[in-house]
């Protein structure tokens, strides 16, 4: 529960700063990956690829998915 709250707080803090949803998702996916929550990280990377294919981080998200055995 504490971890979920921490992630939510990080996402909200990032949202207030950048306004770039794809970058926010990427940062959260990186955090999840570092926390060994690979499935959630994959979901977030896939969301970037699906919703923001032209974003600067979409290529990086695809690379991470490939490295993690995703699509």
């Amino acid at each position: 529960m504490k971890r979920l709250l921490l992630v939510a707080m990080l996402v909200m803090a990032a949202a207030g700063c950048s306004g770039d949803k794809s970058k926010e998702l990427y940062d959260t996916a990186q955090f999840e990956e570092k926390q060994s929550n690979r499935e959630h990280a994959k979901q977030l990377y896939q969301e970037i690829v699906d919703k923001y294919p032209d974003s600067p981080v979409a290529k990086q998200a695809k690379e991470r998915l490939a490295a993690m055995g995703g699509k």
Side-chain angles (χ1 to χ4, degrees):
M1 180 68 175
K2 288 182 181 180
R3 189 169 131 196
L4 183 60
L5 181 60
L6 176 61
V7 170
M9 290 173 57
L10 287 171
V11 170
M12 287 190 295
C17 296
S18 70
D20 181 354
K21 183 68 174 170
S22 62
K23 177 68 170 129
E24 294 166 22
L25 287 171
Y26 188 83
D27 291 343
T28 304
Q30 290 278 281
F31 176 80
E32 289 295 332
E33 202 173 339
K34 288 176 184 166
Q35 296 296 312
S36 299
N37 192 351
R38 293 173 50 88
E39 288 306 312
H40 190 219
K42 284 181 183 181
Q43 291 172 353
L44 294 170
Y45 289 133
Q46 190 61 54
E47 184 176 346
I48 294 166
V49 172
D50 293 343
K51 291 184 178 179
Y52 308 99
D54 298 324
S55 73
V57 295
K59 180 180 176 186
Q60 293 170 295
K62 287 178 189 176
E63 290 170 357
R64 291 305 312 138
L65 277 170
M68 297 173 77
K71 291 183 181 178

